Amino acid sequence: MEFYPKDDLDISIEEDEVESQIQNVYSGSKVLITGATGFIGKILLEKLIRSCNVAQVYLLVRKKKDKSAKDRLDELLRDIVFEPMLRQNKNSSDLITLINGDFNLPDLGISQNDLQELLQNVNFVFHSAATVNMSEHLKTSYFINVNGTRFLLEQAKLMKRLKAFVYISTAYTQVMLDEIQEKFYPTEYSAEDLEKMIKDFNDDELTAITPFLVGQWENTYSFTKAITEHMLTRYHRLVPVAVARPSIIISSVKEPLVGWVDNINGATGVCAGATVGLLRVWRADPNAVADLIPIDVTVNTIISIGWYISQQKPSSEDKIIFNLVASEKNPITWQGYMDSCHTQGINEMIASSLAVGCYNFTLIKNETIYWLYFLIFQFIPGLILDFIMNIAGMTPKFLFAYRKVYKINANFACYIIKQFKYTDKNVDELWSLMNSKDKRLFNFDQTSYPNGQFYRTYMRGLRVYLLKDSMETLKKAATKYKL
């Protein structure tokens, strides 16, 4: 069964008189991607192979308890998101080389043979791997976000053919500030300070002191990302490095599939929960701009940054940081975002047949009022539903889910209860350097997709790709919503 018509899967390639500068730079190159099984990594892998004529892509993948790294790679390539790539070249997967690795292990668990191959061959590094769990234990966050990046940078110094190293950070490394510029910011602790604390304290002691260490960074994610960024100041003259800082990433505009999304974190998870009638209240400033950037826009910018670094070789620190944000060019408030999801998703009859209730959702900024609403509209109904499930001999699940939602909202709140202002002049300059063909092939112009049109495909993609709810169930969904 097709989720979308075939036309939606086609990425048309028009002929231009000019050559693509970006394609020329990547053509025949060998690329290392970390975090390839993640949201950004998947689209980055697909786009590089489909549009950049790369010769080889090394993927650093770790094994899980029940799956080997090879099993995870095979599962990854079965994802529908790779269909356009495989239709263009059915042998595309032959370009992928698996590197077994784990950011929790010394030297990332990479074998010496694999490491030597990387040092001899890699032209571009895209470092996307990270733990994005905002309540992650500090020790784990350190090893993955800080120590893993440091190891890769040390190896990058030895890569004989390296042209660019793009570190994918976040727009939220400085949540205590109102305005975030494209520059490095100092941190109270260095990577070495954090390393010493990891060695000196046991896990329980680290847990106890984490709130005092993290402080105004609010969570271990922003804290370790900020430390990692500051660490890069020691490397930018030794490695052709750049920092990409995407804000909150949502579904694709066009590539590789219209509306594709598989990440339930952040804004998409809120929209999905509200759409199926499970989420009634969320703490956020309804009037603050929701800095939401589509995944294909994000990846096109990241690939373009790699091209820019390899060709321009900027020496100034202020020229290697890029804020990938939407608030300056295509703004929408949190209330506008939820209203758009509601209007386009329900009134256009793209709502899910999986819904357990009608859309009834409120955004609240005040923490006390939010807590009261959560108690009345989430916790107590969850308690009643779990009681009924117990009587019916079913496994209770609502209270567990709502506790998890409450915790996620508490960790996420620092990003959505205030208004951030960003500068993105480096992104503007990058766009100005691209020729007409590259602007089409690697489009990251955020004024090119109207919000009204985008949110209709966004909701359709959320329904089909995230909730796995076929468009054939529209009639059932309409009945549920009494449309």
Side-chain angles (χ1 to χ4, degrees):
M1 179 189 66
E2 294 290 347
F3 285 161
Y4 281 88
K6 277 291 182 183
D7 287 346
D8 275 1
L9 293 171
D10 287 337
I11 306 297
S12 59
I13 301 297
E14 301 170 5
E15 294 298 327
D16 293 88
E17 292 183 3
V18 297
E19 287 188 343
S20 166
Q21 301 173 87
I22 295 178
Q23 284 181 324
N24 286 344
V25 163
Y26 284 104
S27 181
S29 66
K30 298 186 177 183
V31 180
L32 169 64
I33 300 176
T34 71
T37 58
F39 191 36
I40 293 177
K42 287 180 183 179
I43 305 302
L44 180 59
L45 169 63
E46 195 277 341
K47 179 73 172 183
L48 283 169
I49 291 179
R50 177 170 52 81
S51 298
C52 296
N53 193 32
V54 295
Q56 189 172 12
V57 181
Y58 297 99
L59 299 186
L60 185 64
V61 181
R62 69 181 176 92
K63 66 178 182 180
K64 288 190 172 181
K65 290 181 180 179
D66 57 340
K67 292 180 183 177
S68 68
K70 178 64 166 59
D71 290 339
R72 294 188 69 203
L73 176 59
D74 291 342
E75 182 180 18
L76 173 71
L77 295 176
R78 288 194 295 270
D79 195 305
I80 192 174
V81 78
F82 292 101
E83 184 172 328
M85 177 189 84
L86 293 171
R87 281 198 293 112
Q88 181 173 296
N89 178 4
K90 65 180 181 180
N91 298 317
S92 293
S93 58
D94 294 343
L95 301 176
I96 298 171
T97 299
L98 175 66
I99 302 292
N100 283 275
D102 188 333
F103 275 73
N104 285 300
L105 298 176
D107 299 341
L108 307 191
I110 302 174
S111 72
Q112 280 302 309
N113 286 340
D114 284 344
L115 184 58
Q116 287 305 311
E117 182 171 352
L118 295 176
L119 295 181
Q120 293 294 326
N121 295 316
V122 167
N123 305 118
F124 293 89
V125 176
F126 293 97
H127 177 30
S128 174
T131 173
V132 298
N133 181 354
M134 296 168 199
S135 58
E136 187 72 83
H137 192 278
L138 183 59
K139 184 176 182 179
T140 302
S141 289
Y142 162 75
F143 276 112
I144 297 176
N145 293 349
V146 183
N147 191 59
T149 304
R150 179 167 54 189
F151 175 80
L152 287 173
L153 287 165
E154 287 295 327
Q155 303 314 305
K157 288 160 54 177
L158 306 175
M159 291 178 177
K160 303 178 184 300
R161 305 175 189 274
L162 186 66
K163 296 179 180 179
F165 183 115
V166 182
Y167 170 62
I168 300 166
S169 184
T170 173
Y172 301 103
T173 57
Q174 304 297 323
V175 293
M176 72 293 293
L177 301 179
D178 294 326
E179 181 174 354
I180 299 170
Q181 301 177 14
E182 290 172 311
K183 69 176 187 178
F184 287 109
Y185 288 89
T187 54
E188 187 174 351
Y189 303 101
S190 67
E192 289 72 26
D193 292 333
L194 190 53
E195 179 182 28
K196 186 175 187 304
M197 285 184 271
I198 297 297
K199 291 178 178 178
D200 289 347
F201 296 102
N202 63 38
D203 288 356
D204 290 338
E205 290 169 335
L206 281 172
T207 299
I209 65 173
T210 291
F212 302 99
L213 295 176
V214 169
Q216 57 188 347
W217 275 275
E218 300 281 354
N219 55 65
T220 56
Y221 171 65
S222 290
F223 179 62
T224 52
K225 280 290 194 177
I227 288 176
T228 302
E229 276 198 14
H230 187 253
M231 180 179 67
L232 291 177
T233 60
R234 303 203 306 265
Y235 288 92
H236 90 279
R237 296 190 185 280
L238 305 172
V239 175
V241 68
V243 179
R245 291 177 177 161
S247 54
I248 300 170
I249 305 174
I250 54 176
S251 73
S252 62
V253 177
K254 181 178 180 181
E255 297 183 77
L257 303 172
V258 175
W260 179 84
V261 64
D262 75 345
N263 182 4
I264 201 166
N265 294 325
T268 299
V270 176
C271 180
T275 297
V276 299
L278 286 173
L279 192 60
R280 302 295 187 184
V281 59
W282 188 255
R283 188 177 176 220
D285 182 353
N287 298 314
V289 172
D291 217 306
L292 309 173
I293 182 168
I295 181 63
D296 48 344
V297 172
T298 302
V299 165
N300 283 341
T301 314
I302 289 169
I303 291 174
S304 301
I305 290 170
W307 161 75
Y308 168 81
I309 294 297
S310 71
Q311 299 303 293
Q312 300 295 322
K313 300 177 176 61
S315 59
S316 171
E317 288 184 359
D318 293 342
K319 291 293 186 181
I320 64 172
I321 301 177
F322 300 82
N323 287 338
L324 281 57
V325 294
S327 55
E328 300 304 309
K329 296 181 176 65
N330 198 11
I332 187 171
T333 64
W334 282 108
Q335 189 64 60
Y337 165 69
M338 292 306 301
D339 288 346
S340 294
C341 292
H342 178 232
T343 301
Q344 300 299 331
I346 295 177
N347 292 351
E348 294 292 332
M349 295 179 65
I350 307 175
S352 175
S353 66
L354 305 177
V356 296
C358 293
Y359 181 98
N360 183 9
F361 182 80
T362 304
L363 290 169
I364 297 173
K365 181 179 180 180
N366 182 275
E367 185 174 9
T368 302
I369 297 175
Y370 163 72
W371 184 86
L372 289 172
Y373 266 67
F374 185 88
L375 181 67
I376 295 169
F377 295 107
Q378 301 274 200
F379 188 83
I380 293 176
L383 191 66
I384 294 170
L385 288 169
D386 276 357
F387 177 73
I388 294 171
M389 292 182 78
N390 258 321
I391 293 175
M394 302 168 66
T395 303
K397 59 183 179 181
F398 285 96
L399 280 185
F400 174 80
Y402 286 146
R403 286 193 186 101
K404 188 173 182 180
V405 166
Y406 189 87
K407 184 177 181 180
I408 291 171
N409 197 174
N411 288 326
F412 198 60
C414 61
Y415 307 135
I416 56 179
I417 60 170
K418 65 178 287 187
Q419 179 69 65
F420 293 98
K421 179 175 175 58
Y422 293 93
T423 59
D424 59 352
K425 63 181 181 180
N426 287 346
V427 174
D428 290 341
E429 182 179 344
L430 174 63
W431 180 255
S432 72
L433 293 172
M434 294 164 59
N435 66 29
S436 59
K437 185 168 187 177
D438 284 332
K439 286 180 177 179
R440 180 173 55 77
L441 292 177
F442 303 94
N443 181 22
F444 55 85
D445 177 11
Q446 296 188 47
T447 65
S448 64
Y449 54 94
N451 275 333
Q453 177 183 338
F454 170 72
Y455 280 105
R456 188 173 194 278
T457 59
Y458 173 72
M459 289 303 295
R460 186 167 70 160
L462 185 150
R463 181 189 209 276
V464 172
Y465 295 121
L466 188 64
L467 299 179
K468 310 297 183 186
D469 190 8
S470 165
M471 297 296 284
E472 294 176 359
T473 65
L474 280 175
K475 186 175 180 180
K476 180 180 178 182
T479 301
K480 280 194 172 187
Y481 280 90
K482 300 179 181 180
L483 292 176

